[in-house]
C-alpha cells in the first residue's frame, strides 16, 4: 500500500493549478493528453468499451493527482483486464506511433501495466508491492464520460481548456467517449453583410461547448448571419506551448447547394475519425445563398463571400490548430457536393494556395449543359459564371422580392443591406453561384490543363457514388409508357434527344417488367454520367497528365446508405425480415450524399456486418490520405491498431492505385474494394464529356469557355 499512500500525500503538492481566466476546468497545462479509445465504429457496441487518457511521464506519486485534475482517477488493472483486447491494441498503437519505446510501463492505480509484444498475454502487471520509488512513467487515467454521440454536452466534470499559442484566448471545450470536442469556436468576427470576413479578434474565455448557429438559410429559424464558427474533434492535446507529435488535419466543408447545411451535421461529426484514425477533424460554417454569394456588377459587392469565409477558416487553422494537436502543415480539405465545389474552387483561389496539402472533392458537380437541359443545375459548379451572368440569374429578382424597388441601384443596395436576413434567405431567388470575381476566382474553370501554378499543386482524390444522378433527375410522378417518355420526364429533355440516347445503344434498358422504374434506372445513369462522373474523371485525368495535381486517385462508391433523396426512391435496399434498415444485397440507388457515413464512420443504422467492414475500410482510406497523401494504410499501422478486418480487406483488395492515364485506374469501393478502369467512357464521349474534355488544345478550350455565353439562362 506504500504506493497509494505516498501518492495521496503528494496530491496536494502537484499539478493543482488555477487556470487562466478562471474557468476551473481541466487543462493541458502540465501534460499532453492523449485520448485512447478503441473504436470499431459500431455505435451500438460503445457500451462494451472503455477508454483512457494517457498523460506524459511523471513521477509515479504525482499520477493520482494528475488524473484528479481531469476529474478522473488512475485506471486500475481490473478495468484493464476486463477490456484486455482494447488496451492491448491501444498500447500497441501508442508504441507504434513512437510516443513511447518498447516495453513501456504505465502508472495505474494498483501498480503499473507494461505492454510487452513478446509476452503471450501482451499486458504484464506489476502490483503495488513495488512502490516504484524514483520511477517516472506515463500515466493512464480513467475516461468516464460515456456520451458516444455528437449530441454530447459539456458537464462540470468533462470540461477542459486549451490556451491559444499566443496566450490571448482560453478555449473551454469538453470530452465525450470518443475525443476532445471544441465546438462553436468563432473563427471570424461576425461578418458585415456583403463584405469579406476577418479572423476573429475575440480574446479571453471562448465557450466552445455548444455549436454556433448555422448560416442563414431557407426554412430555418435558428440560422443566423452571425455564423462563422468551426468545430474541432481531436484525439490529442499537446502540453500547452509544445508542438510535439501534431496530428494531420481533416478540414471538412459541408455541402447543401451553397444554400444550406452546417458544420454541425452529426453525419460529418469528427469524433469517430478522431478516435478510430488518430487525426484532428475541423468542420466549418460559411455564408450561404445570397448572403454568401451575391454579386452585383459595377459595385464592390463582388460575391464569393462564402468561399472567402472558407479561406479565413483555413487561416484560423494555420494560426491555431497546433494548440488542439493538429499540424498546420498537414491540412487536407474535404467536401461533398457544394463542399466539393468549394474544395475545387479553393484549389484555384490564390490566397488559399499553401493553406492545405491535399484536396478531396466528393461527388463534385459539373457538366450537364451539352444535354440541352434548361438551366442545368450542375453546370455552374464547374463553369463559373461572370458577375454579369450571376446577376442576370439572381440580381434584380432579389431586390424585387424584398420590395427594394428603387430604380437607383445604390438605393436598392442600401435597402438590401438593411433587409431582414431570414427574408433574404427565404426568397424564391437565391444567388448561390461561385463567380469570376477577379480576386478569388480568376478563370471560368479550374485549370487542370497545364501546370502553371494557378492551381494548388496538391494530392487529390475525386470520386462519385454509383448513382449520384439519381438525386438530380426526376422519377416520373405518374407511370410512363416507354423509355423515351421516362427519359424526357427524368432529364427534362425533348423527344429527339431522348431518342438519340436510346439509339446510341449505350444505355440499354434493364428490363424488370416495370417500365417506369426501369426508365428511371436509365435516366439516373445518364444523369450520373453527365453531371458527375464524366467531368470528374476528365478533371483528374487532365490534372494528373498535366502535372497540375500531384499523385491523385479516383473512386466509385458501390455501398452506401440513404442520402439526398428528393425522388423518395430506395436508397437502402428493401426493408425485409432480418434487415430492419434495408437489405443491401438487393438493388438500391447509391444516392448523392449517401457516402458521408463511409468517410466519417457515422452510420447508426448498420444493415449487416458487411456495412461495418465496408465503412472501416473506407474511413481507413480517407484518413490515410489525410495522414500521408496516399489512401493505402500500411499493414504495420493496421496491425498495430488491431484493425484485423480492415487489414484483411486491404490484402484482399490490393493497393488503391493512383490515376496514371486516360484509362484510370480507379477504385470501386464496396465491402472490399476492386481495381477498375474509368467507367462509362463511351457514354461520356457520347454525352460530349470525353475523358479528354479538359485536355483539349487551348483554342478549343477557349471555345468551350465560350459556352458560357451561349448557355441557356435559368429562369
Ligand atoms: C477499478 O476501476 C473501475 C472503473 O474505474 C471501478 O469501477 C472499480 O471499482 C475499480 N476496482 C478496484 C478494485 O479498484
Ligand atoms: C443523442 O443521439 C442519440 C442517437 O441519435 C439518441 O439516441 C440520444 O437520445 C440523443 N441524446 C440526447 C441527449 O439528445
Ligand atoms: C468545469 O469543470 C470544473 C470542475 O473541474 C467546474 O468547477 C467548472 O464549473 C466547470 N466549468 C464549466 C464552465 O462548466
Ligand atoms: C462599398 O461601397 C459602399 C458605397 O460606396 C461603401 O459604403 C462600402 O463601405 C463599400 N464596401 C467595401 C467593402 O468597400
Ligand atoms: C416592388 O415591385 C414588385 C414587383 O413589381 C411589387 O409586387 C411590389 O409591390 C413592389 N414593392 C414596393 C414596396 O413597391
Ligand atoms: C413500378 O415501380 C414503382 C417504384 O419504383 C412503383 O411505385 C410502381 O407501383 C411500380 N409499377 C408497377 C406497375 O408495378
Ligand atoms: C439498375 O440497372 C442495373 C443494370 O443496368 C441493375 O444492376 C441495378 O440493380 C438497377 N438498379 C435498381 C435500383 O434497380
Ligand atoms: C455491433 O455491436 C452490437 C453490440 O455489441 C452487436 O450486437 C452487433 O452485432 C455489432 N454489429 C456488427 C455489424 O458488428
Ligand atoms: C487481430 O489479430 C491478431 C493476430 O492474429 C490477434 O492476436 C488479435 O486478437 C486480433 N484482434 C481482434 C480484435 O480480433
Ligand atoms: C472481403 O474480404 C474478406 C477478407 O479477405 C473476406 O473474408 C470477405 O469474404 C470479403 N467479403 C466480400 C463480400 O467479398
Ligand atoms: C495506362 O496505364 C496502364 C498502367 O497503369 C497501362 O497498362 C496502360 O497501357 C496505359 N494505357 C494507355 C492508353 O496509355
Ligand atoms: C491569466 C490571464 O489573465 N490569462 C489571459 C486571460 O485572457 C486575456 C484576454 O482577455 C489574456 O490576455 C490573458 O493572458
Amino acid at each position: 500500500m506504500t504506493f497509494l499512500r505516498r501518492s495521496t500525500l503528494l496530491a496536494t503538492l502537484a499539478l493543482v493549478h488555477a487556470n487562466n481566466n478562471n474557468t476551473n476546468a481541466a487543462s493541458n497545462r502540465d501534460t499532453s493528453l492523449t485520448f485512447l479509445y478503441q473504436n470499431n465504429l459500431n455505435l451500438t457496441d460503445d457500451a462494451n468499451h472503455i477508454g483512457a487518457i494517457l498523460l506524459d511521464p511523471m513521477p509515479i506519486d504525482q499520477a493520482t493527482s494528475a488524473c484528479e485534475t481531469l476529474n478522473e482517477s488512475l485506471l486500475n488493472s481490473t478495468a484493464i483486464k476486463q477490456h484486455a483486447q482494447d488496451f492491448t491494441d491501444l498500447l500497441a498503437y501508442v508504441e507504434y506511433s513512437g510516443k513511447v519505446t518498447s516495453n513501456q510501463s504505465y502508472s495505474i492505480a494498483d501498480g503499473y501495466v507494461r505492454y510487452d509484444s513478446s509476452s503471450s498475454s501482451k499486458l504484464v502487471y506489476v502490483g503495488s508491492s513495488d512502490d516504484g520509488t524514483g520511477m517516472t512513467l506515463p500515466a493512464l487515467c480513467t475516461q468516464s464520460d460515456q456520451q458516444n454521440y455528437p449530441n454530447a454536452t459539456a458537464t462540470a466534470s468533462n470540461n477542459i481548456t486549451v490556451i491559444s499559442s499566443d496566450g490571448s484566448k482560453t478555449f473551454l471545450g469538453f470530452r465525450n467517449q470518443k475525443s476532445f470536442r471544441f465546438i462553436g469556436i468563432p473563427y471570424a468576427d461576425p461578418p458585415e453583410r456583403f463584405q469579406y470576413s476577418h479572423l476573429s479578434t475575440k480574446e479571453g474565455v471562448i465557450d466552445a461547448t455548444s455549436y454556433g448557429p448555422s448560416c442563414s438559410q431557407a426554412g430555418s429559424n435558428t440560422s443566423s448571419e452571425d455564423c462563422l464558427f468551426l468545430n474541432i474533434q481531436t484525439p490529442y492535446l499537446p502540453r500547452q506551448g509544445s508542438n510535439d507529435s501534431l496530428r494531420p488535419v481533416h478540414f471538412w466543408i459541408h455541402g447543401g447547394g451553397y444554400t444550406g447545411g452546417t458544420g454541425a451535421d452529426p453525419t460529418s461529426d469528427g469524433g469517430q475519425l478522431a478516435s478510430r484514425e488518430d487525426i484532428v477533424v475541423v468542420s466549418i460554417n460559411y455564408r450561404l445563398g445570397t448572403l454568401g454569394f451575391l454579386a452585383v456588377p459595377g459595385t464592390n459587392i463582388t460575391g464569393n463571400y462564402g468561399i472567402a469565409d472558407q479561406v479565413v477558416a483555413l487561416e484560423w487553422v494555420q494560426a491555431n490548430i497546433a494548440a488542439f494537436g493538429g499540424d498546420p502543415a498537414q491540412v487536407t480539405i474535404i467536401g461533398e457536393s457544394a463542399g466539393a465545389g468549394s474544395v475545387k474552387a479553393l484549389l484555384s483561389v490564390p490566397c488559399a494556395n499553401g493553406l492545405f496539402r491535399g484536396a478531396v472533392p466528393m461527388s463534385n458537380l459539373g457538366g450537364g449543359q451539352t444535354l440541352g437541359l434548361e438551366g442545368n443545375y450542375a453546370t455552374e459548379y464547374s463553369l463559373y459564371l461572370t458577375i454579369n451572368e450571376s446577376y442576370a440569374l439572381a440580381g434584380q429578382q432579389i431586390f424585387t422580392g424584398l420590395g427594394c424597388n428603387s430604380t437607383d441601384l445604390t438605393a436598392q443596395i442600401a435597402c438590401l443591406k438593411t433587409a431582414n436576413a431570414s427574408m433574404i434567405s427565404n426568397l424564391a431567388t437565391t444567388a448561390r453561384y461561385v463567380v469570376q470575381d477577379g480576386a478569388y476566382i480568376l478563370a471560368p474553370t479550374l485549370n487542370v490543363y497545364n501546370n502553371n501554378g494557378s492551381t494548388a499543386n496538391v494530392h487529390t482524390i475525386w470520386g462519385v457514388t454509383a448513382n449520384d444522378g439519381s438525386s438530380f433527375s426526376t422519377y416520373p410522378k405518374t407511370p410512363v409508357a416507354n423509355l423515351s417518355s421516362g427519359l424526357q420526364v427524368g432529364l427534362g429533355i425533348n423527344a429527339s434527344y431522348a431518342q438519340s440516347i436510346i439509339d446510341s445503344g449505350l444505355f440499354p434498358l434493364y428490363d424488370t417488367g416495370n417500365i417506369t422504374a426501369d426508365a428511371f434506372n436509365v435516366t439516373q445513369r445518364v444523369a450520373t454520367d453527365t453531371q458527375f462522373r464524366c467531368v470528374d474523371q476528365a478533371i483528374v485525368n487532365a490534372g494528373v497528365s498535366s502535372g497540375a495535381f500531384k499523385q491523385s486517385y479516383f473512386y466509385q462508391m458501390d455501398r452506401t446508405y440513404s442520402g439526398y433523396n428528393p425522388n423518395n426512391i430506395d436508397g437502402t435496399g428493401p426493408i425485409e425480415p432480418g434487415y430492419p434498415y434495408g437489405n443491401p444485397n438487393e438493388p438500391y440507388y447509391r444516392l448523392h450524399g449517401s457516402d458521408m457515413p463511409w468517410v466519417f464512420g457515422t452510420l447508426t443504422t448498420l444493415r449487416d456486418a458487411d456495412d461495418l467492414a465496408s465503412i472501416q475500410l473506407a474511413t481507413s482510406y480517407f484518413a490515410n490520405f489525410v495522414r500521408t497523401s496516399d489512401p493505402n494504410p500500411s499493414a504495420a499501422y493496421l496491425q498495430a491498431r488491431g484493425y484485423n478486418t480492415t487489414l484483411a480487406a486491404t490484402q484482399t483488395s490490393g493497393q488503391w492505385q493512383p490515376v496514371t492515364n486516360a484509362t484510370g485506374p480507379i477504385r470501386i469501393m464496396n465491402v472490399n474494394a476492386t481495381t477498375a478502369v474509368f467507367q462509362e467512357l463511351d457514354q461520356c464521349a457520347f454525352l460530349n464529356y470525353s475523358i479528354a474534355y479538359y485536355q483539349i488544345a487551348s483554342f478549343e478550350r477557349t471555345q468551350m469557355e465560350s459556352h458560357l455565353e451561349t448557355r441557356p439562362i435559368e429562369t
Side-chain angles (χ1 to χ4, degrees):
M1 293 319 288
T2 328
F3 182 88
L4 293 175
R5 199 174 59 242
R6 262 164 41 89
S7 43
T8 311
L9 184 71
L10 292 173
T12 48
L13 300 182
L15 290 160
V16 187
H17 296 284
N19 272 286
N20 285 349
N21 291 307
N22 293 326
T23 61
N24 283 329
S27 82
N28 59 338
R29 176 177 171 141
D30 300 300
T31 171
S32 74
L33 303 170
T34 303
F35 210 107
L36 300 180
Y37 183 71
Q38 186 72 7
N39 190 343
N40 60 20
L41 304 181
N42 176 356
L43 282 145
T44 58
D45 199 39
D46 286 329
N48 301 319
H49 298 266
I50 63 168
I53 296 174
L54 172 64
L55 309 185
D56 288 340
M58 62 181 69
I60 58 168
D61 49 21
Q62 295 179 10
T64 301
S65 61
C67 291
E68 281 166 2
T69 65
L70 299 170
N71 300 303
E72 298 290 350
S73 51
L74 274 171
L75 199 61
N76 63 41
S77 60
T78 311
I80 296 175
K81 283 172 186 163
Q82 280 165 359
H83 302 276
Q85 183 72 58
D86 281 3
F87 281 99
T88 300
D89 293 332
L90 289 166
L91 296 182
Y93 176 62
V94 172
E95 180 179 313
Y96 172 86
S97 70
K99 188 159 180 80
V100 301
T101 52
S102 57
N103 294 330
Q104 177 70 53
S105 294
Y106 301 83
S107 289
I108 56 174
D110 46 350
Y112 353 109
V113 62
R114 182 157 51 89
Y115 169 69
D116 179 352
S117 60
S118 66
S119 88
S120 58
S121 66
K122 307 294 183 201
L123 299 176
V124 179
Y125 301 89
V126 179
S128 55
S129 57
D130 177 352
D131 78 355
T133 303
M135 286 181 79
T136 294
L137 296 180
L140 289 172
C141 305
T142 54
Q143 196 305 102
S144 54
D145 194 284
Q146 298 289 311
Q147 301 178 92
N148 65 332
Y149 284 97
N151 56 12
T153 55
T155 67
S157 60
N158 73 4
N159 66 23
I160 182 116
T161 59
V162 162
I163 297 184
S164 61
S165 3
D166 66 3
S168 69
K169 298 181 274 282
T170 300
F171 299 97
L172 176 69
F174 63 108
R175 57 187 144 93
N176 70 353
Q177 191 184 24
K178 308 294 173 67
S179 69
F180 299 107
R181 301 173 66 82
F182 294 84
I183 59 177
I185 295 177
Y187 65 83
D189 286 334
E192 297 290 328
R193 197 175 281 182
F194 308 125
Q195 294 194 21
Y196 297 130
S197 59
H198 300 284
L199 274 177
S200 173
T201 52
K202 201 168 171 184
E203 295 196 333
V205 177
I206 292 175
D207 181 357
T209 61
S210 59
Y211 291 112
S214 56
C215 289
S216 291
Q217 51 192 275
S220 160
N221 53 17
T222 55
S223 60
S224 165
E225 267 184 295
D226 180 5
C227 63
L228 300 184
F229 298 94
L230 58 73
N231 313 301
I232 301 169
Q233 288 88 30
T234 179
Y236 168 69
L237 297 171
R239 188 170 50 78
Q240 190 184 316
S242 154
N243 276 348
D244 191 34
S245 305
L246 299 180
R247 310 302 206 252
V249 178
H250 169 134
F251 181 95
W252 175 251
I253 305 175
H254 70 77
Y258 295 119
T259 55
T262 159
D265 187 335
T267 311
S268 54
D269 187 82
Q272 295 284 74
L273 283 183
S275 52
R276 173 83 183 174
E277 295 291 350
D278 198 14
I279 58 178
V280 175
V281 182
V282 176
S283 61
I284 64 162
N285 291 349
Y286 55 94
R287 277 176 285 174
L288 301 169
T290 299
L291 294 165
F293 292 92
L294 180 70
V296 182
T299 72
N300 59 12
I301 299 182
T302 51
N304 293 344
Y305 300 104
I307 301 295
D309 293 341
Q310 295 166 3
V311 177
V312 174
L314 282 167
E315 288 168 347
W316 189 96
V317 164
Q318 288 298 310
N320 291 283
I321 203 65
F324 299 89
D327 185 350
Q330 301 187 66
V331 176
T332 296
I333 56 175
I334 309 189
E336 187 268 344
S337 196
S342 299
V343 168
K344 185 181 55 191
L346 289 170
L347 280 168
S348 65
V349 171
C351 60
N353 204 327
L355 301 181
F356 54 88
R357 67 158 187 187
V360 184
M362 300 167 54
S363 296
N364 169 63
L365 291 106
Q369 90 274 23
T370 51
L371 258 190
L373 304 185
E374 277 294 313
N376 187 278
Y377 181 80
T379 308
E380 290 85 8
Y381 282 81
S382 286
L383 275 180
Y384 304 125
L385 300 177
T386 62
I387 289 179
N388 280 324
E389 288 167 335
S390 170
Y391 190 71
L393 294 178
Q396 277 302 327
Q397 302 91 321
I398 292 168
F399 293 121
T400 308
L402 293 167
C404 298
N405 286 1
S406 169
T407 51
D408 173 28
L409 185 59
T410 309
Q412 283 190 305
I413 290 171
C415 172
L416 176 63
K417 280 192 172 167
T418 57
N420 177 283
S422 163
M423 270 182 73
I424 296 174
S425 300
N426 282 292
L427 289 175
T429 302
T430 302
R432 52 169 179 77
Y433 312 101
V434 174
V435 292
Q436 301 175 53
D437 63 341
Y440 287 80
I441 299 292
L442 311 182
T445 60
L446 180 67
N447 177 359
V448 285
Y449 25 85
N450 66 31
N451 183 9
N452 67 1
S454 65
T455 297
N457 186 235
V458 298
H459 295 85
T460 68
I461 300 179
W462 300 71
V464 296
T465 68
N467 311 109
D468 263 317
S470 63
S471 307
F472 288 87
S473 50
T474 306
Y475 196 99
K477 304 262 180 303
T478 53
V480 295
N482 52 46
L483 178 56
S484 175
S485 310
L487 290 174
Q488 290 173 54
V489 174
L491 296 166
I493 57 176
N494 63 28
S496 78
Y497 200 94
Q499 197 55 47
S500 75
I501 290 173
I502 295 167
D503 292 345
S504 74
L506 293 166
F507 301 93
L509 187 74
Y510 180 71
D511 187 357
T512 68
N514 181 333
I515 185 63
T516 305
D518 294 343
F520 180 74
N521 198 344
V522 177
T523 294
Q524 65 81 28
R525 179 174 176 180
V526 176
T528 299
D529 288 348
T530 190
Q531 299 181 75
F532 295 91
R533 184 197 307 279
C534 304
V535 163
D536 289 338
Q537 289 184 157
I539 288 176
V540 75
N541 171 52
V544 165
S545 69
S546 69
F549 298 155
K550 293 203 167 102
Q551 192 156 287
S552 292
Y553 300 83
F554 197 91
Y555 68 84
Q556 172 180 308
M557 294 256 194
D558 274 9
R559 178 176 275 253
T560 67
Y561 183 83
S562 194
Y564 174 52
N565 196 1
N567 287 311
N568 195 24
I569 52 179
D570 186 356
T572 64
I575 290 162
E576 291 172 355
Y579 293 95
Y581 302 118
N583 182 351
N585 306 309
E586 300 286 343
Y588 67 98
Y589 289 110
R590 281 66 172 169
L591 303 169
H592 187 67
S594 61
D595 48 351
M596 304 236 308
W598 268 253
V599 176
F600 286 93
T602 48
L603 191 63
T604 56
T605 48
L606 296 169
R607 291 165 297 189
D608 62 8
D610 281 348
D611 266 354
L612 187 58
S614 172
I615 287 170
Q616 289 170 338
L617 178 62
T619 52
S620 189
Y621 280 145
F622 285 94
N624 211 73
F625 182 80
V626 172
R627 243 193 317 275
T628 67
S629 301
D630 177 336
N632 298 286
S634 73
Y637 168 81
L638 295 170
Q639 258 152 15
R641 300 224 63 164
Y643 294 166
N644 294 1
T645 306
T646 305
L647 179 61
T650 56
Q651 285 165 348
T652 296
S653 306
Q655 289 275 303
W656 181 351
Q657 307 282 353
V659 171
T660 53
N661 60 36
T663 65
I666 75 166
R667 180 113 287 202
I668 307 279
M669 290 165 63
N670 201 321
V671 183
N672 297 313
T674 54
T675 301
V677 293
F678 280 133
Q679 304 288 289
E680 302 276 287
L681 290 179
D682 293 342
Q683 287 78 4
C684 289
F686 170 80
L687 294 165
N688 285 329
Y689 292 100
S690 80
I691 194 67
Y693 182 69
Y694 285 97
Q695 282 179 309
I696 53 183
S698 58
F699 70 93
E700 289 171 301
R701 190 166 61 247
T702 310
Q703 236 173 15
M704 173 186 81
E705 287 166 2
S706 75
H707 271 296
L708 283 167
E709 279 130 49
T710 56
R711 177 172 54 208
I713 295 293
E714 198 173 340
T715 47

